[in-house]
């Protein structure tokens, strides 16, 4: 409609609203963000999660970074 849509804040705001909507009525809401941190494509998702933590309060958000660490028997 001739309006400018910016990734930040427009798209990140929509992501946050969908996450909050999906968790409505629950005490705990676990959201997984897949992908590779550092890819430019994931930037909007990382920013949305960061903003959501600020929005709900640091005491109501927890971030867990899971990484694959291969085990080599010879080592």
């Amino acid at each position: 409609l001739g309006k400018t849509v910016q990734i930040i804040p427009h798209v990140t705001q929509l992501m946050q609203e969908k996450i909050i909507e999906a968790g409505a009525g629950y005490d705990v809401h676990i959201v997984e963000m897949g992908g590779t941190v550092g890819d430019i494509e994931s930037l909007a998702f990382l920013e949305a999660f960061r903003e959501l933590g600020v929005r709900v309060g640091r005491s109501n958000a927890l971030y867990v970074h899971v990484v694959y660490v291969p085990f080599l028997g010879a080592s």
Side-chain angles (χ1 to χ4, degrees), residues 1-11:
L1 299 173
K3 295 185 179 184
T4 301
V5 176
Q6 297 176 329
I7 297 295
I8 300 170
H10 298 113
V11 175

Side-chain angles (χ1 to χ4, degrees), residues 33-64:
M33 188 191 86
T36 304
V37 174
D39 286 348
I40 192 72
E41 293 85 5
S42 66
L43 179 62
F45 293 95
L46 291 171
E47 180 61 15
F49 275 71
R50 187 197 69 78
E51 290 175 3
L52 185 60
V54 173
R55 183 175 175 175
V56 300
R58 292 186 58 98
S59 62
N60 295 315
L62 174 69
Y63 302 101
V64 178

Side-chain angles (χ1 to χ4, degrees), residues 16-31 52:
Q16 293 172 49
E17 290 171 6
K18 293 296 182 181
I19 291 169
I20 291 171
E21 180 182 310
Y26 295 98
D27 294 332
V28 177
H29 184 64
I30 299 173
V31 181
L52 185 60

